[in-house]
Amino acid sequence: MSEYETVLVDHSDSILTITLNRPERLNALTDTVAREIVALLKQAARADEIRCLVITGAGKGFCAGQDLEAFQSRSEGDSIRKHLEKTYHPMVTRIRALEKPVIAAVNGACAGAGLGLALACDIRYASDKARFLTAFIGIGLAPDSGTTYWLPRLIGPARAAELFFTNDRVDAAAAERMGLVNRVVPADELQAVTRELARRLAQAPTKAIGLGKRALNRSLDVSFEEALDYEAHLQEVAARTQDFVEGVTAFTEKRPPNFVGK
Ligand code: LHQ
């Protein structure tokens, strides 16, 4: 029996795939879902044999945000702030901190904290059946789960304001046009196309990708000079990896590199 109740887990070809598995609720998030994702992110950070992550949803939804029934019927009396700090913040901060590529394969509705989950990932591929909504305003809430951080950076502040204030649904084609997703593919090809990208990334020099992710995270909040300085610092680290030696050797020997992620 799987040790996870709410997610399916596959680890093969150096790729860890986490499939949210509450399809009857469009994979809405409960404390257990968030806890299980965080446990897997911890495992992924420790395991050298995991070199890429994919997060997707079972059934017709990706993730409809907080499970509102579960939230309403929760027994403990945590404030919403506590709930966010305990449940969502560890999930999205660990995705950002994980020095490995994380791809969201958005297979269907993506709303509220589910949008926060997708936005925290490095790359988003979407099915042509995917649709995106901020959802918060629909239930009288302000945005959370890091959506106010990522959305204006990805699509610009005016579009972000429009989506937060109106809760309009964005279909996959519009999401691609506005830069919310990297690529849209037919629904029945989403998992295969995502897998193709994941395989490529899992064979790439993982340490260099991790350092690049660190620099990208930091670049959002620093001056150009500080970004240059941080890049130079990280390049010192990258240049000490086995994959750097292999990359240069393979180039001079005119053969494809065999990166091992070290
Ligand atoms: C759901 C949900 C759901 C439970 C669909 N929960 N069952 C919030 C609260 C407090 C603290 C902290 O933070 C947050 C953060 C947030 O995430 S706020 C945003 C919460 N999410 C929403 O408000 C989205 C609610 N869902 C929807 O608006 C629709 O379901 C969308 C537009 C996502 C999809 O619409 P449809 O494709 O028409 O599907 P559906 O509505 O028929 O849903 C299918 C089933 O899933 C249905 O159950 P049923 O028993 O009737 O078949 C829904 O009740 C259930 N479901 N979302 N969040």
Side-chain angles (χ1 to χ4, degrees), residues 27-238:
N27 304 314
L29 295 163
T30 60
D31 294 6
T32 310
V33 181
R35 198 169 49 241
E36 293 187 342
I37 294 174
V38 168
L40 285 159
L41 289 165
K42 284 185 188 167
Q43 190 183 320
R46 283 192 304 264
D48 282 347
E49 60 279 12
I50 296 172
R51 294 171 66 188
C52 182
L53 256 78
V54 174
I55 300 178
T56 191
K60 75 181 177 89
F62 172 72
C63 176
Q66 167 71 44
D67 185 315
L68 296 173
E69 282 182 35
F71 187 77
Q72 223 175 10
S73 62
R74 76 208 162 119
S75 48
E76 59 206 91
D78 276 350
S79 65
I80 286 208
R81 165 187 272 279
K82 268 260 152 49
H83 176 67
L84 293 173
E85 287 172 352
K86 267 182 21 191
T87 314
Y88 296 127
H89 296 190
M91 190 172 76
V92 291
T93 52
R94 276 185 185 278
I95 293 175
R96 292 314 313 146
L98 183 68
E99 297 203 345
K100 300 179 182 184
V102 184
I103 310 168
V106 183
N107 52 301
C110 179
L115 180 62
L117 174 64
L119 293 179
C121 296
D122 299 301
I123 296 173
R124 281 155 292 286
Y125 275 13
S127 128
D128 56 4
K129 299 217 168 85
R131 61 220 147 90
F132 299 81
L133 57 155
T134 54
F136 303 100
I137 214 81
I139 54 166
L141 278 185
D144 62 31
S145 311
T147 52
T148 62
Y149 186 86
W150 292 115
L151 210 52
R153 283 169 168 82
L154 280 169
I155 67 173
R159 281 211 186 92
E162 191 179 4
L163 295 186
F164 282 127
F165 301 167
T166 64
N167 193 21
D168 280 350
R169 295 174 190 204
V170 176
D171 66 22
E176 189 178 30
R177 276 198 303 278
M178 58 176 79
L180 187 52
V181 301
N182 297 66
R183 183 171 172 188
V184 176
V185 295
D188 59 356
E189 292 170 26
L190 177 67
Q191 300 307 337
V193 173
T194 304
R195 185 85 187 164
E196 214 174 280
L197 174 68
R199 274 183 207 273
R200 275 178 58 202
L201 296 180
Q203 284 164 23
T206 312
K207 294 280 181 225
I209 289 191
L211 293 166
K213 182 161 170 178
R214 232 195 267 178
L216 284 172
N217 280 340
R218 198 165 147 137
S219 75
L220 298 165
D221 299 303
V222 300
S223 69
F224 182 50
E225 287 72 19
E226 284 168 305
L228 285 173
D229 184 61
Y230 195 53
E231 282 176 4
H233 162 68
L234 295 179
Q235 204 62 294
E236 293 273 5
V237 182

